[in-house]
Amino acid sequence: MPDSLDQLVTTFYRAFSGEVDLVDDVVTSDWKDIPAHPGQAPGPDGIKPVIKSIGSSFSDFEIVVHDVIDGRGPDGNGKIGVRGEIRGVHTGDTFGIAATGRHIRIALHEFHEVVNGRLATTWHLEDWFGFFKAVGQAPRISEEAK
């Protein structure tokens, strides 16, 4: 388990850059990811397939943290806010859009609940419209989804 808030946040986001097992060190066994990916189970084992899927869609994937707002109490528990940016090269199918080879940079905003030095809940919002703009395409919507 990381010793500081900076290490906790850094380790969590490094997991998305290909070091998937790092989530074992920073999230609780029942960690909730909101909104969850369809079919995603709670905890570290639930996010690992999602991280691997991201790795198959983007090369040089990284999450850069710009700001962390610490709203934890004196006991170290509470909520934190993160403003960051997702970066990478679109090298695989994403939202039905074939690889474009384009570099992407999209905004990321997250709130995390910290309990006993680990992330217990994450609420996340990514600017996927920024992704569509970067790759010059929009997702295909099937007739069933309408």
Side-chain angles (χ1 to χ4, degrees):
M1 180 171 24
D3 295 328
S4 70
L5 180 60
D6 181 58
Q7 287 178 322
L8 177 68
V9 170
T10 300
T11 302
F12 179 71
Y13 292 115
R14 270 187 30 226
F16 287 83
S17 297
E19 298 179 65
V20 66
D21 290 331
L22 289 176
V23 294
D24 293 325
D25 299 330
V26 294
V27 303
T28 60
S29 62
D30 62 346
W31 172 75
K32 293 177 230 37
D33 187 23
I34 302 170
H37 190 272
Q40 179 183 340
D45 290 336
I47 192 64
K48 288 178 181 181
V50 175
I51 294 171
K52 290 175 183 173
S53 175
I54 291 168
S56 69
S57 296
F58 298 94
S59 63
D60 301 325
F61 188 88
E62 68 175 331
I63 298 175
V64 177
V65 175
H66 296 304
D67 294 303
V68 176
I69 299 170
D70 188 355
R72 297 174 303 153
D75 63 357
N77 294 326
K79 293 189 176 74
I80 62 170
V82 175
R83 182 181 70 84
E85 185 175 64
I86 297 170
R87 297 178 184 173
V89 180
H90 181 225
T91 54
D93 186 80
T94 309
F95 297 116
I97 299 170
T100 62
R102 293 188 181 179
H103 291 265
I104 58 121
R105 293 174 72 147
I106 60 175
L108 167 77
H109 297 90
E110 297 192 327
F111 293 98
H112 302 281
E113 178 184 20
V114 179
V115 176
N116 298 325
R118 291 182 181 256
L119 303 179
T121 306
T122 297
W123 297 266
H124 59 94
L125 179 65
E126 300 86 13
D127 177 18
W128 289 110
F129 284 112
F131 165 76
F132 301 135
K133 183 178 178 182
V135 298
Q137 296 184 46
R140 292 178 211 74
I141 300 174
S142 68
E143 284 301 314
E144 300 87 42
K146 291 182 181 179

